């Protein structure tokens, strides 16, 4: 029976143009002489790779082949089974599909492995074929550290981590090899998943790990509660925080290598009833050095914004909630302004990204170095451009406006819901309206919406009455295709239906007419109406424009824009 099987394999290899007839004949002769399988002969002679052979064998038995080097693996699926079981059967869950668990297998005909997987997961299994090396790599990446953690702490009781524990014990717990590997696993996974934050949250019985991806939190795994003290201690050691102090919030930061990428992490700890919650903000320098043209701002508003901040003096304000990308926009502007002949000084709390060519000042309220105090000092240091991380009080607002009026370009952020509200907010802070009218050139309000996954997005139909109610423009609807996120998503987008984010913007240029309204202390609604008459697109209008382009969905725009 062996010869027909080898003949069948040979025909498949020829059909897929993976070997030539001459190579196949030479391999067949060696196969007859040595007894080695035809596939092994071709691999040993470097005619085929193991992945190519596995792909053809999968086709031969009617099962899909999964290249795990390019496959977007779902971490929640990968960690469903024990590492020992995964290695024993050389299998690893990689995805969910139609309510089934997709499992990569080196031998998909192993019925014992399939039975064990069904029993352990309680799910129907959909096998796909992968190479042993690729499966081993996935097991090492997703399961290795977790298994070591579980094994290492099997004999550890919770009583060993009570409050009376001294600093030396905490340091020892934080430097245990399994804990070190587990923390490294969490960070590398988060970077691979393009997460912006990692949340480590203790509860009564376990520790939950969640990643914020594209602005939305996803639960990745739960670990035994007994590892929590060592886990927190290890992070505190890395961030140079007080390891023995667990009663008050702390902040720290550190740098590390995740895969082949250098990342900075900002750490914040917060005491909760079940122990310290730790949040790691992942600061990827490559993400902050985005160019203005890649912000997602339309050509017209982008030109207005660029013209404003390239003036020799004045004020540009960027507004929006926390996490809306204000810092990215400011640094994109500074990237264009940062030249040898200009002195750029920033005042930030905290300094998230340390960039070459900028003089960055870290606010420290404990020693009296507030935003206002920093501004008073840096204005004596002959700056050309000043960036204020956030205007929080009347004194900072007044100094920012006065700096603009005395010949400096000031870039700053402010927390308001839209662009017109920024002007009235500064009046509420005690800045004179006529000073605001003279100093402020441009206000940018922004949000970050999720991009639709281009591989699984689906066409959607909406009731015209619903679209009118939401303010969606109805012109040209005959030929317009509107997309929405696929409910189940796909492996590429980690089943979210979205992948990546896009900026939604509202750019208000302070014209002479708007200056008059500001001086007369008009409401933000009046300012907004006049700005729209002058051609300003609102946040919702800009978002709906991106819906018409197929970039995002109506639901996502309504989620991030009031």
């Amino acid at each position: 029976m062996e010869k027909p099987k080898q003949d069948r394999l040979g025909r498949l290899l020829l059909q897929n143009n993976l070997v030539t007839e001459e190579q196949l004949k030479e391999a067949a002769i060696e196969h007859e002489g040595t007894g080695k399988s035809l596939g092994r002969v071709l691999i040993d002679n470097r005619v085929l790779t193991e992945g190519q052979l596995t792909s053809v064998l999968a086709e031969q038995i009617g099962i899909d082949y999964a290249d795990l080097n390019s496959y977007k693996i779902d971490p929640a699926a990968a960690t469903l089974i024990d590492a020992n079981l995964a290695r024993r059967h050389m299998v690893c869950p990689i995805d969910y599909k139609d309510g089934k668990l997709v499992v990569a297998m080196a031998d998909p005909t192993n019925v014992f492995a399939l039975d064990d997987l069904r029993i352990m997961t309680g799910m129907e299994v959909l096998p796909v074929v992968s190479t042993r090396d690729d499966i081993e790599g996935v097991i090492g990446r997703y399961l290795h550290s977790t298994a070591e953690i579980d094994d290492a702490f099997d004999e550890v009781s919770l009583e060993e981590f009570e409050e009376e524990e001294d600093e030396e014990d905490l340091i020892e717990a934080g430097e245990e090899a399994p804990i070190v590997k587990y923390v490294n696993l969490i960070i590398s996974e988060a970077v691979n998943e393009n997460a912006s934050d990692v949340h480590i949250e203790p509860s009564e019985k376990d520790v939950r790990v969640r990643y914020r991806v594209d602005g939305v939190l996803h639960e990745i795994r739960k670990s035994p509660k007994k590892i929590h003290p060592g886990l927190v201690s290890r992070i505190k050691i890395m961030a140079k925080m007080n390891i023995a102090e667990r009663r008050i919030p702390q902040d720290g930061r550190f740098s590390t290598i995740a895969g082949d990428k250098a990342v900075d992490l900002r750490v914040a700890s917060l005491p909760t009833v079940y122990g310290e919650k730790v949040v790691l903000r992942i600061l990827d320098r490559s993400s902050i050095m985005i160019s203005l043209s890649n912000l997602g701002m339309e050509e017209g508003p982008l030109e207005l914004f660029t013209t404003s901040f390239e003036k020799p003096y004045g004020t540009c304000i960027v507004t929006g909630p926390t996490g809306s990308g204000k810092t990215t926009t400011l640094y994109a502007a500074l990237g264009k302004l940062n030249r040898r002949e200009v002195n750029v000084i920033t005042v930030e709390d905290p300094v998230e990204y340390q960039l070459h060519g900028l003089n960055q000042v870290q606010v420290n309220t404990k020693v009296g170095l507030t935003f206002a105090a920093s501004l008073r000092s840096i204005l004596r240091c002959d700056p050309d451009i000043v960036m204020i991380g956030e205007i929080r009080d009347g004194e900072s607002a007044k100094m920012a406006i006065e700096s603009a009026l005395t010949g400096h370009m000031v870039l700053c952020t402010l927390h308001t819901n839209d662009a017109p509200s920024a002007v009235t907010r500064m009046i509420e802070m005690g800045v004179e309206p006529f000073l605001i009218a003279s100093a402020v050139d441009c206000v940018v309000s922004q949000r970050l919406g999720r991009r639709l996954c281009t591989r699984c997005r689906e066409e959607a139909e909406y009731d015209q009455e619903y679209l009118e109610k939401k303010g969606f423009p109805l012109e040209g609807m005959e030929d317009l295709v509107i997309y929405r996120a696929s409910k189940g998503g796909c492996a590429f987008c980690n089943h979210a239906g979205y992948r990546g984010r896009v900026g939604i913007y509202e750019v208000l240029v302070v014209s002479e007419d708007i200056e008059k309204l500001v001086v007369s202390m008009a409401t933000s609604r009046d300012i907004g109406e006049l700005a729209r008459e002058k051609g300003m697109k609102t946040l919702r209008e800009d978002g709906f424009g991106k819906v018409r382009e197929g970039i995002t969905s109506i639901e996502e725009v309504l989620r991030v824009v009031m």
Side-chain angles (χ1 to χ4, degrees), residues 172-219:
E172 187 176 340
E175 292 181 343
E176 288 284 335
I179 283 290
V180 172
K181 289 180 181 177
Y182 189 48
V183 170
N184 291 342
L185 169 76
I186 289 172
I187 294 171
S188 61
E189 271 185 6
V191 172
N192 288 336
E193 295 297 323
N194 294 317
S196 59
D197 302 86
V198 178
H199 292 243
I200 298 169
E201 303 166 323
S203 62
E204 186 178 3
K205 296 180 180 178
D206 51 38
V207 182
R208 179 171 65 166
V209 179
R210 295 195 290 172
Y211 297 162
R212 187 178 294 279
V213 181
D214 295 336
V216 178
L217 280 170
H218 301 272
E219 184 174 312

Side-chain angles (χ1 to χ4, degrees), residues 31-105:
H31 157 63
E32 294 286 349
T34 62
K36 288 196 296 184
S37 69
L38 181 65
R40 178 48 55 190
V41 170
L42 289 165
I43 290 172
D44 290 346
N45 292 341
R46 297 186 179 181
V47 176
L48 282 181
T49 65
E50 191 173 349
Q52 288 171 324
L53 177 64
T54 306
S55 175
V56 171
L57 290 172
E59 183 181 339
Q60 188 176 355
I61 60 176
I63 295 178
D64 289 339
Y65 168 72
D67 182 359
L68 300 185
N69 292 315
S70 59
Y71 198 95
K72 186 69 176 178
I73 294 165
D74 187 338
T79 52
L80 273 179
I81 67 170
D82 177 74
N84 294 326
L85 173 70
R87 283 206 174 85
R88 184 165 70 249
H89 295 306
M90 199 47 62
V91 299
C92 188
I94 58 173
D95 203 354
Y96 298 99
K97 186 176 182 181
D98 299 329
K100 296 180 180 179
L101 183 67
V102 181
V103 179
M105 306 180 70

Side-chain angles (χ1 to χ4, degrees), residues 179-327:
I179 283 290
V180 172
K181 289 180 181 177
Y182 189 48
V183 170
N184 291 342
L185 169 76
I186 289 172
I187 294 171
S188 61
E189 271 185 6
V191 172
N192 288 336
E193 295 297 323
N194 294 317
S196 59
D197 302 86
V198 178
H199 292 243
I200 298 169
E201 303 166 323
S203 62
E204 186 178 3
K205 296 180 180 178
D206 51 38
V207 182
R208 179 171 65 166
V209 179
R210 295 195 290 172
Y211 297 162
R212 187 178 294 279
V213 181
D214 295 336
V216 178
L217 280 170
H218 301 272
E219 184 174 312
I220 301 301
R221 65 169 55 83
K222 288 183 178 178
S223 300
K225 178 68 179 279
K226 56 192 173 185
I227 76 166
H228 178 252
L231 189 57
V232 173
S233 298
R234 173 59 187 166
I235 294 170
K236 283 186 171 182
I237 289 168
M238 295 172 79
K240 296 181 174 59
M241 296 158 69
N242 185 347
I243 197 169
E245 180 55 77
R246 288 175 282 178
R247 300 164 299 174
I248 59 173
Q250 294 188 65
D251 296 304
R253 67 185 299 151
F254 65 95
S255 299
T256 189
I257 303 294
D260 57 354
K261 185 182 288 188
V263 292
D264 298 329
L265 293 104
R266 195 178 78 212
V267 183
S269 69
L270 182 71
T272 72
V273 290
Y274 294 117
E276 285 183 285
K277 172 185 168 83
V278 177
V279 178
L280 293 83
R281 167 64 61 88
I282 298 171
L283 307 170
D284 183 1
R285 294 187 187 186
S286 62
S287 69
I288 201 69
M289 294 311 294
I290 190 170
S291 66
L292 278 169
S293 58
N294 292 328
L295 282 176
M297 206 180 288
E298 288 187 9
E299 191 174 336
L302 178 59
E303 188 177 340
L304 294 173
F305 177 46
T306 305
T307 302
S308 296
F309 70 68
E310 285 185 336
K311 291 180 179 178
Y313 54 86
T315 307
C316 286
I317 305 172
V318 180
T319 78
T322 302
S324 60
K326 299 188 298 295
T327 304

Side-chain angles (χ1 to χ4, degrees), residues 399-440:
M399 293 204 68
I401 294 299
E402 288 170 4
S403 301
L405 292 171
T406 53
H408 305 92
M409 170 48 65
V410 179
L411 304 174
C412 59
T413 72
L414 194 63
H415 284 287
T416 62
N417 289 328
D418 56 19
S421 299
V423 176
T424 54
R425 177 80 181 108
M426 295 192 85
I427 293 173
E428 290 168 6
M429 285 180 165
V431 183
E432 292 292 342
F434 68 91
L435 294 178
I436 297 171
S438 302
V440 177

Side-chain angles (χ1 to χ4, degrees), residues 1 14 99 132 177-178 187 233 294 301 327 343 370 404 477 514 531 534:
M1 295 295 293
L14 287 170
R132 296 180 68 86
I187 294 171
S233 298
N294 292 328
T327 304
N343 179 19
T370 61
M477 289 292 291
I514 289 176
K534 298 288 184 182

